[in-house]
Amino acid sequence: MTPARTRADARVRLRSGDVWRFLTNVPLVLGASGILAMGVIALFGPQLAPSDPHAQRVVIFYPDGTFASPPTPPDRYNPLGTDPIGRDQLSRLLWGARLTVTIILLGLLGRGLLALLLGVLAGWRSHTWIDEAIRHVTNAVGGVPQLMLALLLVIALQDHGVIGFVLALALVGWADLARFVRSEVIRIADAPHVHAARALGANGAHVVRTHVLRDLTPQLLGLLAIEAGSVLLLLAELGFIGMFISGGVFFTSDSGAPVLPVRDRAPEWGQMLAGARNYAFSHQYVAFVPGLVVVGAVLAFNLFAEGLRAASDPFGSRRVSPRTLGRVVRALALAGVVACLAFAYLAVRSTSLSFSEGLGRAQDTVAQAFPGGKLVAAVVRLSSSSHALAQPERLTYYFVGDGSQLFRVSFLDGDANAIDAKLFANEDDLVVDALHPLDTAGIVDWEVALRLAEDRVGSRFRSQAPSYRVRVLLTHEVGADRPSYRVQYTGNVGAPVVEVRVDALTGGPGVAPTRQP
Amino acid sequence: MRPQTTLVALRALSAFVLTSLLVVWLCDLTLSGAQLGGLGIGVLLRGVDPFRGQTLLEATAVSVARSGALLATALAVATAVGIAAGAAYAFSSRRIVRAAAWSVGTVGVSLPSFFWAMLLQLLIVFVYARTETRILPTAGFGLDDHLVLPAVALAARPAAYVFRTTATALENVRHGDYVRTAHAKGLPASHVARSHVLPNAAPAILSGVVLGGRIALSSLAIIEYVFSWNGAGFAFIHALANGRTAFAALVALVFALLFAVLTFGTDALSNRLEARR
């Protein structure tokens, strides 16, 4: 046998041995399967859901003629039961997986990047002023219980919706990870191969990139898997006390209005746990179904971390070669980052609608439910009691049919999931006979009209009034040669309505604003 | 005081100061909304909590004392159970027992505190429904049998962490060359464990206990919320929910102080233990 053949055989034996050790690493296989299942559910949850996760029912009528009031226990129609307002729990779990996984991944990415950056910097420059400064910052952030800090951050960032929530989850918990990275970097920096690389003249950045980070990755990935479970636990705990993504059922002002934005139409596992305590004794499935799902997911992350630890333990029976482990771990890290970006794109895309996207969806709905309907008005409403203060409270599109009937399609919070379509005889201040069908080609964005209006009347309503409503109404009135926006401000009860008219084609001033008492 | 201890104390102090600044700044941010009024250090020290009729300092002292009792009990339980289970694991040679113990530990770490709390409450309700016997109260404050369920629920996750840390530390030390040499010399197993294994594993076990303490502190608010234990965590959540952010800030500052003291104590003790080795 030639030496070359022997080396090739050894490589093959090593690889097959590593594969076998991976496959017989029970925690790793169980954890990886759990995480994979979670990923599949997050990707295809909406397709797998047996019913509409948003459909609320006061009374649930079953096909066999019986009926019940929610919450109902698991049965063959609702395999995991229904929640207190009659929504199917299985469908909500399947739909909610995407937003939950997205939040976990983004929170984890934030924590990981912060910890890696500061930990590597502190470890590589250990016992210098940089190390000392970073140590003070990590001690300060790690000096408040995670839940408390997360609560404060969520409230402080309440106007930023999902991004604010992700930031709150990312800005807590990274301190312990950074401390670990620092100590590992100090250990690796003292290893013979790192000394050799530096003796050969490699610069610091090169050594950190090719040696320190490479050696750090397996342990870091294991720790990140535990951290993913920790992010989910924090998400669940926040949800349990009534604070969930872009919302909170617990935090209300004296007048009963939510202090935090509430958007429970976007199902998420933490949100499903909100109010669970009230049903723990009477309707256990309401509390324990989402609770068990969270436990299962955290367990999967922990098992995966446990398996990785066993695979990298040089004295363990399930160890794999460092080269194979390094490759697998790097592939997993890359897959994690790709998944993070993909889910972020999917989750953001799936719920938030722009004005034109809303119009497209409204027109699709009209084509099915109100054929021949023509668009006559569109309204963007912003309000102090809005569920997401920086976002429209409602996007509404009005269509008129042959018999002057109005068909209204609206999206609460500009949320694609919160579509509401109704037929009206008439509506508030819309006089159908006084409106031309609306051609939206070439019109400027409603935000341009709002900005112009705010420049003219001042933004005092949106920034200072404790209670306000702003309507941006797009119509083409009879007698006018072009469509126009009317921006209407309403302050407290009894305060005057201020209206500013803006040309919808140029974005310039329209007819002079009229003031009403 | 030795220079090493002084340095540790200074670090703990700076951590507390920075954390305090962070907490006050965050609370100030949350107060920027029209609904929540203003916050200043003067309000923190002299202000009156309108919901309790007590000064903020009195209200904070009472709630922190209640939480302290719960926390101390839970930590004692977690440390005792975790270290005993970890030692039993490390010194056991039966694979099935070891695998089962490790699995229980992993599940224990994965269960959220509120889940433990609800399970325990449900168990009591189930027993009551079956036997009409009220074993323990399921909610409320009291330094009597009211303490049992919250303490057990709060201790569950820290106990799992202490168990895993203890087991790993003892396992590593037990397979050290010097321990094998001691065994080879014919020293009794109890003597080897007492003189070689435990002293060398002590720093790691201590850091496991501290980690458990941090987890317990973090879970305190949830456990108090579930069991309606009128302590600092419960007060913090309610203070935030009702816009009494000054009170919330003061409670958070007390927690920051506790963390700083805990960090200082651990680092000082670790240094001493390391020096003895």
Side-chain angles (χ1 to χ4, degrees), chain A residues 132 135-136 139-140 142-144 146-149 155 233 237 240 250-251 277 280-281 284 291 295 299 302 306, chain B residues 11 14-15 18-19 26 30 102 110-112 115 121-122 157 164 214 218 222 225-226 228 241 255-256 259:
Chain A
E132 198 64 29
R135 187 196 291 242
H136 284 305
N139 283 348
V144 195
Q146 277 200 25
L147 183 66
M148 283 189 172
L149 190 57
I155 295 174
L233 276 182
E237 286 181 346
F240 186 77
F250 189 77
F251 289 73
R277 182 190 173 210
F281 298 149
Q284 291 83 11
V295 169
L299 192 60
N302 285 348
E306 180 64 33
Chain B
R11 278 195 186 133
S14 85
L18 285 174
T19 309
L26 275 176
T30 64
W102 197 261
S110 306
L111 281 178
F115 202 81
Q121 286 181 326
L122 198 63
R157 283 190 72 210
R164 287 165 68 105
R214 291 170 75 97
S218 199
I222 284 274
Y225 174 72
V226 176
S228 302
F255 273 93
F259 260 66

Side-chain angles (χ1 to χ4, degrees), chain A residues 225-227 229-234 237 294-303 305-306, chain B residues 101-116 153 155-165 208 211-212 215 219:
Chain A
I226 294 175
E227 209 58 37
S230 166
V231 175
L232 179 55
L233 276 182
L234 187 57
E237 286 181 346
V294 169
V295 169
V298 176
L299 192 60
F301 285 123
N302 285 348
L303 283 173
E306 180 64 33
Chain B
W102 197 261
S103 305
V104 169
T106 306
V107 173
V109 167
S110 306
L111 281 178
S113 302
F114 66 82
F115 202 81
W116 278 113
R157 283 190 72 210
Y161 272 99
V162 174
F163 158 71
R164 287 165 68 105
T165 320
L211 181 66
I215 290 165
S219 306

